[in-house]
Amino acid sequence: NVVTTADFHRDSWWYDPVANNWTAADSIPANITNAASFIIDSSIFIVGGLNPSQVTINDNWEYNTNTHVWTQRASFPGTQARLGPVSMTISNRGFYGMGVYQAGNLYMNDWWEYQKSSNSWISHSSTVTLIGRYNAMTFTVSGKGYLVGGIPLNSTNCETW
């Protein structure tokens, strides 16, 4: 599949489950697809993805839900930008990793934590023993994060960690 500029949408929306309606929010300042997101405090972070030139990026955008302002934050410092990364929030901490490096077909298995207070990243990659993959699913329960499935290199192993 070829992604074209027409496939990119910059609009942002928030959902009110009580009123059962969507309300337009300020648009993100960049055209991005295939990114990941997590929440810290009242901020939503959108990290990585693909730009309209078909280049993977390490951008990190924060949307403050109180002020309704987008701000670019410290870029993801991993060795490779990637498609199909995963992310999650555990105990008000944002985590990001995995994915595939587009140009080299390199399946990543790194894991990083974003520190909102210092606008910096911490690698937790030395603790990762799972197979690199992209387009996996994540969720959290009782302070623990779960990674499910995804597409690993040359394998049908879709375990849960």
Side-chain angles (χ1 to χ4, degrees), residues 99-100 107 131-136 148-155 157-158:
V100 62
Y107 289 67
I131 297 169
R133 67 200 63 213
Y134 73 103
N135 289 345
V148 180
I151 303 170
L153 178 63
N154 298 326
S155 174
N157 187 3
C158 291

Side-chain angles (χ1 to χ4, degrees), residues 76-95:
F76 170 66
T79 57
Q80 303 294 343
R82 72 248 354 241
L83 292 174
V86 298
S87 61
M88 65 178 81
T89 302
I90 304 171
S91 301
N92 209 34
R93 298 161 51 201
F95 292 90

Side-chain angles (χ1 to χ4, degrees), residues 69-142:
V69 172
W70 285 99
T71 305
Q72 193 162 18
R73 296 296 183 202
S75 294
F76 170 66
T79 57
Q80 303 294 343
R82 72 248 354 241
L83 292 174
V86 298
S87 61
M88 65 178 81
T89 302
I90 304 171
S91 301
N92 209 34
R93 298 161 51 201
F95 292 90
Y96 174 87
M98 304 293 158
V100 62
Y101 173 55
Q102 177 184 12
N105 206 30
L106 176 64
Y107 289 67
M108 310 303 289
N109 73 339
D110 55 352
W111 200 236
W112 294 76
E113 178 182 350
Y114 177 72
Q115 300 281 307
K116 181 180 176 182
S117 60
S118 62
N119 189 32
S120 62
W121 293 86
I122 297 172
S123 173
H124 293 285
S125 297
S126 63
T127 62
V128 177
T129 58
L130 38 115
I131 297 169
R133 67 200 63 213
Y134 73 103
N135 289 345
M137 288 105 6
T138 61
F139 59 91
T140 60
V141 177
S142 300

Side-chain angles (χ1 to χ4, degrees), residues 1-20:
N1 292 343
V2 175
V3 178
T4 67
T5 303
D7 295 325
F8 287 76
H9 298 279
R10 294 179 50 228
D11 54 338
S12 301
W13 297 81
W14 59 271
Y15 178 69
D16 181 344
V18 174
N20 190 29

Side-chain angles (χ1 to χ4, degrees), residues 32-104:
I32 302 170
T33 189
N34 288 311
S37 63
F38 52 81
I39 298 168
I40 301 175
D41 298 324
S42 59
S43 294
I44 302 164
F45 292 85
I46 309 291
V47 183
L50 185 72
N51 70 17
S53 298
Q54 307 276 331
V55 174
T56 49
I57 57 175
N58 284 333
D59 290 0
N60 178 16
W61 288 94
E62 175 187 8
Y63 181 73
N64 184 309
T65 60
N66 294 322
T67 63
H68 305 286
V69 172
W70 285 99
T71 305
Q72 193 162 18
R73 296 296 183 202
S75 294
F76 170 66
T79 57
Q80 303 294 343
R82 72 248 354 241
L83 292 174
V86 298
S87 61
M88 65 178 81
T89 302
I90 304 171
S91 301
N92 209 34
R93 298 161 51 201
F95 292 90
Y96 174 87
M98 304 293 158
V100 62
Y101 173 55
Q102 177 184 12

